[in-house]
Amino acid sequence: MPDPVTSKLTRLLFGALAYISLAIGLIAIVVPGLPTTEFILLAAWAATKSSPRLSAWLENHRLFGPILSNWRNGKIVARRAKVSATLSMLLCAGLMLVMLDHGWPVYLAIAGMSLGNLWIWSRPESVPQPS
């Protein structure tokens, strides 16, 4: 685990990043198109630098704990999370195409979701077994 940051201002900034990322991650659970996992990973990283209490809470959380453990033990993203993220992004892209004007911001958002989806699917789903 990284050493906690010693500067009070730096700890405060990392703490703010941790709590803001956690809030966005929690909102992303119910808002299609927002990536939950990435914000939880960012919150956990920032928490290790600012708040041992928040870090421990995230590590022991029934939903977030396994995500963080998988990530720390091989940058693993479970298939269920990949499928969930893909379906969420497809739903969001479909809603944007149906409900919004087809301008460049919509296409940019869809391109960003596509790139994020490609990255998610490039992550391993389990720890590689030694040969």
Side-chain angles (χ1 to χ4, degrees), residues 27-51:
I27 292 168
I29 291 172
V30 294
V31 175
L34 272 177
T36 303
T37 302
E38 289 85 343
F39 284 107
I40 298 305
L41 291 174
L42 180 60
W45 173 77
T48 61
K49 297 182 172 296
S50 62
S51 172

Side-chain angles (χ1 to χ4, degrees), residues 26-119:
L26 292 172
I27 292 168
I29 291 172
V30 294
V31 175
L34 272 177
T36 303
T37 302
E38 289 85 343
F39 284 107
I40 298 305
L41 291 174
L42 180 60
W45 173 77
T48 61
K49 297 182 172 296
S50 62
S51 172
R53 194 171 105 188
L54 176 60
S55 182
W57 182 81
L58 287 167
E59 298 270 340
N60 295 312
H61 192 274
R62 69 175 181 81
L63 178 63
F64 306 136
I67 293 170
L68 297 173
S69 177
N70 283 343
W71 186 254
R72 287 198 175 114
N73 294 318
K75 309 258 187 272
I76 296 165
V77 177
R79 179 169 296 246
R80 180 177 171 161
K82 291 177 180 184
V83 170
S84 175
T86 300
L87 292 174
S88 175
M89 287 185 233
L90 285 172
L91 175 64
C92 185
L95 288 172
M96 288 190 321
L97 289 171
V98 169
M99 300 179 82
L100 301 175
D101 292 332
H102 289 206
W104 67 267
V106 169
Y107 296 124
L108 183 63
I110 291 172
M113 285 188 285
S114 299
L115 290 173
N117 202 33
L118 287 172
W119 180 84

